[in-house]
Amino acid sequence: GLQPVLDTPIYGRIATLELFRTAGAEKDLLCLTTERWKFSVLEYDSENSELVTRAMGDVQDRIGKPVDSGQIVHIDPDRRMIGLHIYDGLFKVIPIDSKGALKEAFN
């Protein structure tokens, strides 16, 4: 069966979890958002048995009504962007460059 490998605290209530792999990478990354509109992209370092934060930030907007049905995060199948539906009538995009680095988010 499955064996736990790591237990780590997350400061906030997790709203979404999405697993993805950037082009040319050997490991999957975990994208998570919290109910207070924070996000992070985590990678597991098997040599040191620890989580490494690849990116983090705040995707909150000053305007907009939070979605009633819960946040939705989707990774483009070609791994060019992370799409977030966190406010009614608004779609936020976090571009991913060809090296797997995240760029500035936009609506």
Side-chain angles (χ1 to χ4, degrees):
L2 294 175
Q3 297 292 325
V5 176
L6 182 69
D7 188 7
T8 188
I10 302 290
Y11 300 102
R13 291 177 121 171
I14 295 175
T16 64
L17 290 170
E18 191 77 26
L19 202 59
F20 69 103
R21 185 175 298 199
T22 57
E26 295 181 10
K27 296 181 188 178
D28 288 338
L29 302 174
L30 180 66
C31 176
L32 70 88
T33 63
T34 68
E35 289 182 354
R36 294 195 178 229
W37 305 284
K38 308 291 187 211
F39 87 96
S40 64
V41 175
L42 305 172
E43 176 182 11
Y44 180 69
D45 180 357
S46 56
E47 290 181 16
N48 298 319
S49 297
E50 64 183 14
L51 280 179
V52 177
T53 304
R54 293 271 307 263
M56 61 184 259
D58 189 336
V59 289
Q60 185 173 16
D61 282 306
R62 293 180 180 223
I63 59 170
K65 177 182 177 283
V67 291
D68 292 329
S69 58
Q71 298 178 18
I72 298 172
V73 172
H74 187 71
I75 312 293
D76 170 39
D78 293 327
R79 294 154 196 95
R80 297 171 296 185
M81 67 161 199
I82 299 172
L84 300 104
H85 182 239
I86 53 180
Y87 292 101
D88 283 335
L90 203 67
F91 186 72
K92 186 173 287 286
V93 173
I94 303 172
I96 303 172
D97 71 11
S98 59
K99 297 178 183 175
L102 300 182
K103 300 296 184 185
E104 184 77 23
F106 62 89
N107 294 326

